[in-house]
């Protein structure tokens, strides 16, 4: 299937909005979408979502013969699979442009920058080495695949543990996880890719572009930075003015972002190891139960506020601390407004600030007669 | 090769150049009769051939047309004899596909594609001898071939690769322009920059090799940008020389024919 064509008015609208420093989803020019990292039950399995963009990473290992040119180093293979699940214009099997770009950029950032200690993966030089495979699957494409994929890659590699081995006179013994504790990989530095979309001849730079912004942008600039302020990969596609200044501007922002992302990964890893240690339920099943991994659990409706309701004119039985009204997400496209004193006609012209709470279990249809039901269009 | 210094204490590189010197560039346009435009470029020992066909009709694959602009197809190939060890796959492996993709993006930004809707421009590049900065040499050769084919460009597309020599004896690391094979493989980052020098526009930027510290990126990027601007001067001279030669040949052969 071909990529859907963006209409001229959509393009013009987006460009006009960007020139006024506004973005279509209400974010600021330098605001990132929510990043969340969830680990599965096995070591090396992790799902990362940046807003609606989702990437699943899985690390596996096996013993192979090393490359002839590097006989005492392990192997690291990275593969990003764009399946039609992620977007209708992705094709299985065919290596499209975006697939090549993603693969090469991640390879440069992680393999060429020597982020994993490959020498420690050697068992018997020239004969047996560990071959680490990192497979990333794009589950949903809502822009900025490269960032999400790089976070998933790093999180999966940091989470992974390989089995312990021992070389005896009889041969090689590979110990099971129950017998001997598996060993984590040696990670020398933590590279993260940060992408920027450039508009209006370099005047407007936007961070974490959404899918539409990516396609309309004049240029897309991706930087791979690590915690030591080193650049692991740089890629600019498209055309933009005054290259060196843009590089400098973006590099500082990218560095800050990389530092915060690495801190988040470490935090999530620590939490996960805590859960494993205390033997509680963990993994994707648990995430489904808690409502943190399914799309219905996440707030979908985001209505920007124009002006808040004047509180004084309301009746005395106005609820609690919050000056804005509570809205309950019932399902996709329906919200229930819980306010004791607002008349339906008044709110027709006003746009209300919504704080959609992900209460998956409590889809309550309460019989409180003070409630006014407002169906969103 | 242990102890081989990229920059000696006299400030000379492995091939005797200074850090801000480009290699000698020799080029020739119109080398083939079949393609609409062709060029041969030598940057030091790196030798590249470029051939351009187009703009022409899209025959087989209707899906590869744009309704409002031309479709650019670049193919990068390294001859099997171009490297010191015989190359097994001249094209089609991932690295070559990535080069194809980068070249596509560069020339989509540089060619005035809006003048040829629903047509296709093919650019074929062959590296005959790979001695460092292969990608940059290809971009420069393709620019000459496009000019030879008469395809309108926004500006010359000039490309240069620069690197950073490690610091010696307490001195800060020196950026060096136009890397050769030894400097590429021995280590150090390689920053490839393709620009439209007169429009002060960057169309491609890529970092390969080892990591580069953020504080060094400015000098290295500046070096690559000035290198590209210098290359433009050389290419411009070559183009003007070629055009003058063609006109002269026309005049000489046209003597006796109607004006």
């Amino acid at each position: 299937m071909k990529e859907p064509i963006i209409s001229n008015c959509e393009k013009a609208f987006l460009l006009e909005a960007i020139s006024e420093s506004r973005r279509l989803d209400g974010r600021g020019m330098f605001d990132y979408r929510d990043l969340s990292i969830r680990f599965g039950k096995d070591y090396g399995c992790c799902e990362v979502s940046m807003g609606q963009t989702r990437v699943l990473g899985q690390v596996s290992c096996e013993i192979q013969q090393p490359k002839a040119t590097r006989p005492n180093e392990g192997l690291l293979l990275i593969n990003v699979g764009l399946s039609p699940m992620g977007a209708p214009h992705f094709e299985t099997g065919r290596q499209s442009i975006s697939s090549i770009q993603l693969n090469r950029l991640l390879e440069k950032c992680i393999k060429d920058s020597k982020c994993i200690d490959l020498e420690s993966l050697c068992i018997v030089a020239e004969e047996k080495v560990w071959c680490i495979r990192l497979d990333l699957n794009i589950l949903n494409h809502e822009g900025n695949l490269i960032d999400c994929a790089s976070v998933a890659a790093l999180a999966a590699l940091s989470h992974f543990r390989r089995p312990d081995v021992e070389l005896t006179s009889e041969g090689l013994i590979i110990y099971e996880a129950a017998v001997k504790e598996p060993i984590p990989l040696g990670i020398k530095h933590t590279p993260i890719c940060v992408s920027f979309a450039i508009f209006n001849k370099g005047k407007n730079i936007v961070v974490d572009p959404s899918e539409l912004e990516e396609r309309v942008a004049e240029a897309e600039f991706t930087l791979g930075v690590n915690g030591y302020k080193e650049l692991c990969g740089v890629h600019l596609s498209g055309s933009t003015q005054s290259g060196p200044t843009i590089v400098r501007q973006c590099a500082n922002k990218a560095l800050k972002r990389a530092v915060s992302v690495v801190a988040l990964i470490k935090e999530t890893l620590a939490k996960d190891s805590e859960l494993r240690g205390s033997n509680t339920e963990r993994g994707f099943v648990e995430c489904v139960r808690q409502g943190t991994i399914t799309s219905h659990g996440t707030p979908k409706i985001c209505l920007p506020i124009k002006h808040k309701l004047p509180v004084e004119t309301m009746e005395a039985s106005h609820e609690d601390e919050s000056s804005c009204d509570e809205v309950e997400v019932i399902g996709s496209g329906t919200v229930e407004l819980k306010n004791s004193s607002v008349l339906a006609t008044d709110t027709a012209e006003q746009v209300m600030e919504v704080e959609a709470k992900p209460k998956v279990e409590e889809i309550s249809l309460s019989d409180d007669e003070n409630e006014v039901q407002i169906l969103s269009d | 090769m242990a102890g081989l210094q990229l920059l000696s204490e006299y400030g000379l590189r492995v091939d005797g150049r200074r850090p801000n010197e480009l290699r000698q560039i020799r080029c020739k346009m119109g080398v083939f009769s079949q393609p609409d435009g062709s060029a041969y470029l030598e940057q030091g020992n790196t030798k590249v051939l470029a051939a351009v066909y187009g703009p022409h009709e899209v025959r087989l694959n209707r899906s590869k047309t744009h309704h409002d602009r031309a479709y650019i197809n670049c193919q990068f190939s390294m001859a099997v004899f171009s490297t010191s060890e015989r190359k097994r796959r001249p094209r089609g492996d991932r690295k070559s596909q990535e080069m194809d993709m980068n070249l596509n993006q560069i020339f989509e930004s540089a060619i005035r594609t809006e003048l040829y809707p629903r047509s296709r421009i093919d650019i074929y590049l062959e590296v005959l001898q790979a001695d460092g900065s292969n990608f940059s040499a290809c971009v420069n050769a393709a620019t000459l071939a496009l000019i030879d084919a008469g395809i309108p460009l926004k500006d010359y597309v000039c490309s240069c690769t620069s690197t950073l020599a490690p610091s010696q004896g307490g001195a800060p690391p020196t950026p060096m322009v136009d890397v050769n094979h030894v400097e590429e493989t021995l280590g150090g980052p390689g920053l490839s920059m393709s620009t439209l020098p007169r429009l002060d526009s960057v169309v491609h930027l890529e970092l390969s090799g080892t990591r580069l510290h953020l504080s060094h990126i400015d000098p290295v990027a500046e070096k690559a940008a000035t290198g590209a601007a210098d290359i433009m001067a050389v290419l411009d001279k070559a183009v003007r020389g070629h055009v003058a030669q063609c006109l002269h040949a026309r005049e000489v052969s046209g003597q006796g024919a109607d004006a």
Side-chain angles (χ1 to χ4, degrees):
Chain A
M1 216 188 101
K2 249 185 147 179
E3 222 174 3
I5 302 178
I6 306 179
S7 57
N8 287 339
C9 50
E10 240 183 310
K11 250 188 248 183
F13 181 63
L14 191 111
L15 289 172
E16 177 98 20
I18 298 268
S19 64
E20 293 176 11
S21 298
R22 286 166 194 269
R23 290 171 80 166
L24 290 189
D25 49 6
R27 284 188 277 160
M29 300 291 269
F30 303 118
D31 284 345
Y32 293 90
R33 287 175 287 187
D34 289 329
L35 173 65
S36 78
I37 304 172
R38 289 165 291 265
F39 291 106
K41 219 167 187 182
D42 292 329
Y43 280 121
C45 183
C46 119
E47 199 247 355
V48 172
S49 67
M50 248 188 209
Q52 295 287 348
T53 301
R54 295 210 184 163
V55 177
L56 177 73
Q58 173 74 57
V59 183
S60 51
C61 62
E62 62 172 353
I63 299 188
Q64 272 186 15
Q65 259 201 334
K67 270 197 231 169
T69 49
R70 290 188 197 272
N72 58 348
E73 272 185 16
L75 300 165
L76 174 64
L77 299 168
I78 304 178
N79 181 41
V80 181
L82 298 178
S83 76
M85 178 175 14
H89 61 266
F90 288 159
E91 286 171 51
T92 31
R94 258 198 73 215
Q95 287 259 31
S96 69
I97 289 180
S98 32
S99 147
I100 300 174
Q101 201 168 341
L102 263 176
N103 271 295
R104 280 297 299 158
L105 210 46
L106 275 178
E107 257 183 45
K108 265 189 243 173
C109 230
I110 296 179
K111 264 176 88 169
D112 295 350
S113 70
K114 305 207 186 351
C115 134
I116 304 282
D117 184 13
L118 292 175
E119 281 186 9
S120 64
L121 297 174
C122 178
I123 306 170
V124 179
E126 288 180 24
E127 279 175 35
K128 295 192 211 290
V129 294
W130 281 113
C131 171
I132 308 283
R133 280 202 87 92
L134 167 63
D135 289 295
L136 296 161
N137 278 299
I138 309 291
L139 301 176
N140 198 31
H141 174 28
E142 275 292 341
N144 210 3
L145 287 177
I146 178 68
D147 281 21
C148 206
S150 76
V151 175
L154 192 63
L157 286 168
S158 317
H159 190 238
F160 180 64
R161 304 255 189 289
R162 64 168 174 83
D164 197 2
V165 289
E166 198 182 301
L167 198 60
T168 58
S169 48
E170 289 125 24
L172 189 67
I173 309 179
I174 304 175
Y175 290 108
E176 271 182 51
V179 177
K180 262 200 178 182
E181 192 69 28
I183 306 170
L185 295 174
I187 300 189
K188 292 200 230 169
H189 65 98
T190 47
I192 295 279
C193 291
V194 185
S195 288
F196 302 86
I198 303 175
F199 299 88
N200 289 331
K201 301 202 200 315
K203 285 195 224 116
N204 302 102
I205 303 178
V206 148
V207 130
D208 193 8
S210 66
E211 207 220 337
L212 195 60
E213 287 167 354
E214 263 180 6
R215 292 178 65 194
V216 177
E218 313 183 317
E220 226 199 301
F221 188 44
T222 305
L223 281 167
V225 265
N226 68 12
Y228 302 124
K229 283 196 182 182
E230 290 171 328
L231 280 179
C232 310
V234 165
H235 187 85
L236 173 74
S237 61
S239 139
T240 174
Q241 314 273 62
S242 51
T245 37
I246 293 210
V247 173
R248 211 181 311 131
Q249 271 181 303
C250 295
N252 291 321
K253 295 199 182 69
L255 186 63
K256 282 199 206 107
R257 168 72 172 169
V259 168
S260 67
V261 169
V262 172
L264 179 67
I265 294 179
K266 292 208 168 100
E267 203 187 297
T268 328
L269 274 170
K271 257 189 237 162
D272 182 72
S273 57
E274 232 182 82
L275 285 176
R276 275 172 204 271
S278 65
N279 227 355
T280 42
E281 289 295 322
R282 62 182 193 283
F284 291 144
V285 174
E286 198 48 37
C287 293
V288 171
R289 274 196 218 120
Q290 292 168 1
T292 54
I293 207 170
T294 54
S295 52
H296 280 293
T298 51
K300 260 168 120 174
I301 301 165
C302 163
L303 304 176
I305 192 169
K306 279 272 297 280
H307 43 262
K308 292 208 164 120
L309 287 174
V311 184
E312 301 77 36
T313 58
M314 295 306 151
E315 286 180 25
S317 56
H318 183 69
E319 274 173 355
D320 62 330
E321 342 58 87
S322 56
S323 58
C324 37
D325 305 314
E326 273 190 22
V327 171
E328 217 169 77
V329 178
I330 293 183
S332 52
T334 311
V335 281
E336 214 177 75
L337 177 66
K338 274 181 158 168
N339 187 333
S340 44
S341 42
V342 175
L343 296 171
T345 49
D346 283 342
T347 55
E349 295 123 36
Q350 288 172 346
V351 176
M352 322 234 344
E353 175 139 44
V354 175
E355 226 184 286
K357 296 199 181 130
K359 291 185 210 161
V360 179
E361 314 87 83
E362 297 172 3
I363 303 173
S364 55
L365 309 158
S366 49
D367 327 312
D368 191 356
E369 63 265 18
N370 286 334
E371 275 177 13
V372 175
Q373 198 164 20
I374 293 181
L375 296 168
S376 61
D377 296 326
Chain B
M1 284 264 221
L4 185 69
Q5 278 181 328
L6 288 178
L7 199 63
S8 77
E9 59 262 22
Y10 301 108
L12 294 177
R13 294 154 75 167
V14 286
D15 51 4
R17 283 184 287 154
R18 295 257 164 218
N20 56 351
E21 264 182 61
L22 293 171
R23 292 178 289 184
Q24 188 181 40
I25 299 180
R26 276 178 284 232
C27 46
K28 196 161 161 46
M29 293 167 64
V31 289
F32 296 133
S33 59
Q34 281 285 354
D36 297 316
S38 54
Y40 171 72
L41 183 105
E42 278 183 26
Q43 228 173 297
N45 281 331
T46 302
K47 301 175 171 62
V48 179
L49 271 174
V52 169
Y53 285 89
H56 58 90
E57 188 195 341
V58 181
R59 276 289 159 73
L60 292 164
N61 215 342
R62 278 302 148 107
S63 66
K64 291 224 174 98
T65 47
H66 297 297
H67 64 282
D68 57 346
R69 54 189 208 275
Y71 172 77
I72 313 282
N73 173 45
C74 291
Q75 199 189 67
F76 171 85
S77 157
M78 289 183 78
V80 293
F81 47 79
S82 60
T83 46
S84 51
E85 256 185 38
R86 188 174 193 274
K87 207 170 200 312
R88 261 198 281 158
R89 258 195 112 177
R91 66 189 80 92
D93 60 333
R94 237 187 222 179
K95 285 212 174 122
S96 309
Q97 279 184 327
E98 189 207 0
M99 300 275 218
D100 288 351
M101 190 194 73
N102 287 330
L103 287 163
N104 271 333
Q105 285 172 345
I106 292 177
F107 288 108
E108 262 175 26
S109 314
I111 297 178
R112 303 258 334 256
T113 50
E114 69 275 6
L115 296 175
Y116 304 108
R118 297 184 183 281
S119 40
R120 180 178 155 125
I121 299 176
D122 294 303
I123 307 174
Y124 298 106
L125 292 153
E126 187 84 24
V127 177
L128 301 176
Q129 186 176 344
D131 188 37
S133 293
N134 307 324
F135 185 72
S136 299
C138 285
V139 172
N140 297 329
T143 304
L144 287 178
L146 284 166
I147 295 175
D148 189 44
I151 295 176
L153 297 170
K154 293 183 187 145
D155 190 11
Y156 286 92
V157 188
C158 303
S159 177
C160 187
T161 309
S162 57
T163 185
L164 196 69
S167 61
Q168 298 161 308
T174 339
M176 306 193 295
V177 82
D178 199 8
V179 300
N180 60 20
H181 183 67
V182 174
E183 287 161 356
E184 241 176 30
T185 45
L186 261 196
L191 186 73
S192 250
M193 189 188 271
S194 305
T195 61
L196 305 177
R198 281 188 284 212
L199 298 179
D200 189 31
S201 193
V202 178
V203 287
H204 182 250
L205 190 62
E206 199 180 328
L207 181 71
S208 50
T210 58
R211 316 191 283 271
L212 175 68
H213 196 271
L214 267 182
S215 55
H216 301 315
I217 191 164
D218 264 346
V220 179
E222 299 266 350
K223 238 351 184 250
T226 42
D230 293 338
I231 289 180
M232 190 197 88
V234 177
L235 295 183
D236 192 40
K237 192 162 159 219
V239 169
R240 286 175 200 275
H242 177 73
V243 170
Q245 210 178 36
C246 285
L247 280 176
H248 180 71
R250 271 250 202 99
E251 274 171 21
V252 165
S253 63
Q255 266 171 4
D258 288 335

